[in-house]
Amino acid sequence: MRSASRTLFRFLPLWVFVFIFKIGAGMHYALFTPLAERVLPLPIVGVLVAGAALGQLLLDVPAGLLLDRYGYVRLLRYTTICFLLAGIVFGFGLSPWVLVVSLVISIGGWLFFDPGIAAYLLTHTPAGIAGRVMSFRDVVEAGGLLCSVVALAWLLALPLPILGALLALLFSIALVALGFLPKETRPVPAGSALSTRHYFIRRRFVVAHLRSVLRRFNPASTMLLVSGFSSTVFYGILWFVVPLMVARGTQSGIPSAGLAVFDIAVIVSGFFLGRLADRWNRGLLVLVGLFIFAVAGTMLGFSLGVWFLLLGFLTTAGEEMASVALWAWLHQLDRDHTEDAFVAGTVIMIRDMGWMVGPLLAGFLFGAVGPEWTIAVGACFVFVAWGVAVGKLGTHHFRALLRQPLAAIPTYPHRRRHKG
């Protein structure tokens, strides 16, 4: 315990950096849609947000190569400067070109943050306490995100140059905090989160091989891909719609802090659900989890105040229940564990596609059917995932699952319910 406490304290400059960075980056992402709506049609706004997600997806692999070559602290400094510039651009006033330039620059801001932080922590943390360190990182990020969205309505009332100055100040503080962080002294270890994220594309992304692997690990692999895509489509829609609702004041009963409840749900329920997946039938957990996710997600847009928070918590808790159970099941099917990085990387890529599709759909649906039904359409993707799970978990698979010995929950790629 003392070793864990000393390690956490040693990372204090990094925690300050992560907290401040997440406040600024969360503000930029949440503010972009309602600000862009003032000068652009919503469908165009959706296309822009989706285009930024596509750009980040295409640059993901080169980013991993650059991190390995030039070092994590150096590129974390670069990524912070990108967001600093994205904030300074706001000083030129509200116009389509200002918004587009700021969004394009922010792609570089998001690109190195998550893999850079994960790799730095993994290279400086003893293996026995890595889980606690990464969980503490999640808490710090969730705290920063909460601060970024809790005052969303107030921030939207500020002139754009003041918003830009506020963002620039936050990222300047983050740069100062980063300056107190020692540079990494050794490369990222094999099998780490960063290696898992990039290895599969660099060396093994072959379509025929992918199909073979998915068939071998069915039904868990197929359900993991379908549920991963559907969940990020849903969250992409949610992060597009809720800031607009707050800005318009048409749903003043939905708190700005409601956007943070989804990550808080993961932190609160994650350990409990991991133990549950060790003891219960995993097929049943997948079905129940996806059903809770779909039903609560459908009702979310029609809910106000504390009900929004409660349903938001249930939405993510249901999704996390299914996700943990599926990763544990996949871990059990892959007895040799020679394809872990390949499957994990494929799932991450499919989820990144969901972050692109979600805002694109929301941009066109928001004006046509309203915010409530736009969120409900996102939940329809989850119902499709639930239907796939019902089909895959036929009588044969379900009975076979009851006879299988339980395996430990593996370390699976951390997945946020916000941009990052």
Side-chain angles (χ1 to χ4, degrees):
M1 181 64 70
R2 289 182 179 178
S3 175
S5 300
R6 283 197 298 267
T7 301
L8 290 173
F9 182 78
R10 183 162 53 88
F11 289 137
L12 181 59
L14 183 66
W15 304 137
V16 174
F17 166 76
V18 169
F19 182 74
I20 300 298
F21 184 98
K22 207 64 182 180
I23 293 176
M27 280 175 51
H28 185 275
Y29 189 75
L31 288 169
F32 181 83
T33 299
L35 288 176
E37 186 211 10
R38 298 177 184 177
V39 294
L40 290 169
L42 268 182
I44 301 300
V45 178
V47 170
L48 288 175
V49 177
L54 176 61
Q56 187 176 339
L57 175 63
L58 295 175
L59 293 172
D60 194 28
V61 177
L65 297 173
L66 290 172
L67 280 163
D68 287 338
R69 180 171 181 178
Y70 294 107
Y72 314 129
V73 174
R74 179 185 297 182
L75 290 182
L76 284 173
R77 188 175 294 113
Y78 163 80
T79 210
T80 308
I81 292 173
C82 282
F83 260 125
L84 176 64
L85 295 175
I88 290 175
V89 169
F90 282 167
F92 292 95
L94 188 61
S95 72
W97 285 111
V98 165
L99 292 168
V100 169
V101 170
S102 182
L103 184 65
V104 170
I105 296 175
S106 74
I107 295 175
W110 287 114
L111 204 54
F112 300 109
F113 175 74
D114 188 45
I117 293 295
Y120 185 89
L121 288 174
L122 287 166
T123 56
H124 292 82
T125 301
I129 60 172
R132 276 169 284 180
V133 171
M134 300 305 279
S135 295
F136 189 79
R137 178 202 65 175
D138 299 342
V139 174
V140 174
E141 289 195 11
L145 181 71
L146 176 63
C147 293
S148 73
V149 297
V150 71
L152 183 60
W154 174 77
L155 290 170
L156 286 167
L158 296 176
L160 193 61
I162 294 180
L163 280 177
L166 181 58
L167 288 171
L169 176 63
L170 286 169
F171 289 112
S172 297
I173 296 173
L175 273 177
V176 173
L178 201 59
F180 289 93
L181 193 65
K183 293 183 178 180
E184 60 277 5
T185 56
R186 58 185 185 275
V188 62
S192 73
L194 189 65
S195 297
T196 297
R197 186 177 178 92
H198 298 286
Y199 172 77
F200 83 106
I201 301 179
R202 287 210 302 254
R203 299 181 183 176
R204 306 192 60 180
F205 189 58
V206 180
V207 174
H209 182 62
L210 173 61
R211 294 175 62 184
S212 172
V213 170
L214 293 181
R215 280 197 300 267
R216 184 152 34 104
F217 299 147
N218 260 329
S221 57
T222 299
M223 289 191 294
L224 202 55
L225 291 176
V226 175
S227 65
F229 177 76
S230 63
S231 65
T232 51
V233 169
F234 176 82
Y235 287 114
I237 288 175
L238 202 68
W239 272 85
F240 190 95
V241 168
V242 173
L244 283 175
M245 297 168 77
V246 173
R248 291 185 172 191
T250 55
Q251 294 287 350
S252 57
I254 293 182
S256 301
L259 286 171
V261 73
F262 307 102
D263 274 284
I264 292 173
V266 175
I267 296 170
V268 172
S269 64
F271 295 107
F272 165 74
L273 292 174
R275 295 189 185 96
L276 197 65
D278 267 343
R279 293 170 172 81
W280 282 32
N281 182 292
R282 291 175 187 147
L284 182 61
L285 289 177
V286 172
L287 291 175
V288 172
L290 287 176
F291 186 75
I292 293 174
F293 182 17
V295 173
T298 301
M299 299 170 61
L300 193 62
F302 302 93
S303 308
L304 302 175
V306 67
W307 286 107
F308 183 90
L309 298 177
L310 176 61
L311 287 168
F313 187 94
L314 288 175
T315 295
T316 296
E319 183 220 359
E320 185 73 358
M321 179 188 297
S323 180
V324 170
L326 281 171
W327 278 107
W329 192 1
L330 186 71
H331 180 75
Q332 188 171 355
L333 293 173
D334 185 11
R335 292 182 174 86
D336 297 329
H337 301 290
T338 58
E339 306 288 354
D340 288 344
F342 184 57
V343 175
T346 304
V347 172
I348 289 171
M349 172 175 276
I350 294 298
R351 287 172 176 166
D352 286 345
M353 291 179 182
W355 280 111
M356 178 182 65
V357 173
L360 186 63
L361 282 175
F364 286 94
L365 291 174
F366 189 94
V369 299
E372 298 88 353
W373 287 106
T374 301
I375 294 176
V377 168
C380 289
F381 283 82
V382 185
F383 274 112
V384 171
W386 180 76
V388 171
V390 171
K392 287 291 182 181
L393 286 172
T395 304
H396 172 74
H397 282 127
F398 200 76
R399 289 178 179 173
L401 200 63
L402 291 172
R403 297 192 295 268
Q404 288 179 352
L406 295 179
I409 297 293
T411 299
Y412 59 95
H414 176 75
R415 186 158 49 88
R416 294 169 180 77
R417 276 70 182 177
H418 59 270
K419 179 74 172 175

